[in-house]
Amino acid sequence: MSSEKTIRVTLVRSLSGRLKAHQACARGLGLRRMHQTVDVITTPENMGMVRKIDYLLRVEEAVEG
């Protein structure tokens, strides 16, 4: 595994009717549908996207191993 720290992000609210910029953030994180979960590397760019749409997400630390 890589030594980069990751977080697990799950889309828990719908993207329909949201601002285009917020939809773009979700797509940028790799989220396409409800209840989809992705592991994201904690870079400043990714964390900015997570913070922008935190009301749509559930965020937890990824389990290593």
Side-chain angles (χ1 to χ4, degrees), residues 49-60:
M49 288 191 281
V50 168
R51 272 195 291 279
K52 189 169 192 174
I53 60 169
D54 64 345
Y55 67 100
L56 300 173
L57 305 174
R58 181 175 57 229
V59 180
E60 48 197 47

Side-chain angles (χ1 to χ4, degrees), residues 3-6 8 15-17 30 33 37-38 43 47 49-50 53 57 60 62 65:
S3 61
E4 297 167 326
K5 186 172 163 94
T6 61
R8 182 159 287 163
L15 291 174
S16 358
R33 48 192 114 60
T37 301
V38 294
T43 63
M47 294 309 294
M49 288 191 281
V50 168
I53 60 169
L57 305 174
E60 48 197 47

Side-chain angles (χ1 to χ4, degrees), residues 14-47:
S14 175
L15 291 174
S16 358
R18 304 297 176 189
L19 294 171
K20 293 291 183 192
H22 291 200
Q23 291 179 20
C25 285
R27 297 273 186 240
L29 291 169
L31 296 166
R32 296 187 178 276
R33 48 192 114 60
M34 290 278 299
H35 307 295
Q36 181 181 6
T37 301
V38 294
D39 288 336
V40 176
I41 298 169
T42 56
T43 63
E45 296 83 5
N46 287 341
M47 294 309 294

